[in-house]
Every structure is written in C-alpha cells, then in structure tokens.
Amino acid sequence: MKYAIRYYSKSGNSEKLANAISEVLDVPAYDISHELSEDVEILFFGSGVYGCALDPAVIKFISNINVNIGEFVNFSTSGIMESNYNLIKDLLDNTNIKLSENEFHCPGSFVGMNKDRPNNVDESNIKDFVNKYFI
C-alpha cells in the first residue's frame, strides 16, 4: 500500500497527529508546502478549523492536487467545532478524489481551551484508527 501524509497546522495540533500516523506507517509526514509528486493509494490529510472554515492554504493545496489518490483520509483538530469533515467533503466533491467515510477528530488546544490537546491518549487513538481501518 502506498501512503502519503500531509498536514496544515498553525498551532502544531494537526502536526502532532500527522507524526503519530507517521510512526504507524513508517512514512514521513510533511506539511502542505510539500506537494504530492506521485500517485498514492491513501492520503492522510490533517488540518484544523479556522474561523469555521478551511484555511485558504488548505483549499489551494487540495485544489492543486495533480496526482491520483485512491482514498483521502481526513483527520482534524479544533478548539470548538466537531470536525472539518463536511468542509473537506464539499471541497473534494469538485474533484475525482474519494473521501473516506472514516475520519479522526479530536480537540485541539486553542486560546486556553482543551489545554494540552492533542495529548498522548489522542495520539494513541489516531494510531489505533490507522491500524483498524487502513492497514
């Protein structure tokens, strides 16, 4: 199975989760400044929710994907909202990229809320998520 991991993280929350996935798959996790250069069967993509929306950099990255992706797996953190799954789904509806029905979301620390999240339990939970659904 060919995997890739990309993330966008202003606070480091999504980066923590990306690195946990990297440990499971033994695949490097890169921020979105690293474009995808070859086809992948599964792309794990993480970002937060910023002002109830996707950051414009996330929209640009996804809109500019020019390789084949078998399945797009969303993971996210947020201070208040549940997840960005529907925002990602709406964006991917305009592409030929299949969004996995399985997603991972956990709280992320934000302005004093959800202190120290994602934490070790969240990192363990995302590792279990990857093992359960994608290995």
Side-chain angles (χ1 to χ4, degrees), residues 2-74:
K2 181 134 178 114
Y3 301 103
I5 306 165
R6 295 294 186 276
Y7 65 89
Y8 179 78
S9 188
K10 288 184 178 180
S11 62
N13 295 334
S14 296
E15 182 178 11
K16 281 183 186 178
L17 297 179
N19 288 332
I21 295 169
S22 176
E23 289 177 24
V24 173
L25 300 177
D26 196 27
V27 171
Y30 294 115
D31 68 33
I32 61 173
S33 69
H34 296 85
E35 293 181 8
L36 294 167
S37 60
E38 56 189 19
D39 297 349
V40 295
E41 292 174 76
I42 298 178
L43 170 63
F44 289 90
F45 185 86
S47 68
V49 179
Y50 305 101
C52 298
L54 297 173
D55 189 278
V58 169
I59 295 168
K60 180 179 178 184
F61 175 83
I62 292 173
S63 298
N64 289 335
I65 291 174
N66 61 4
V67 298
N68 294 316
I69 297 172
E71 188 171 28
F72 187 107
V73 179
N74 188 61

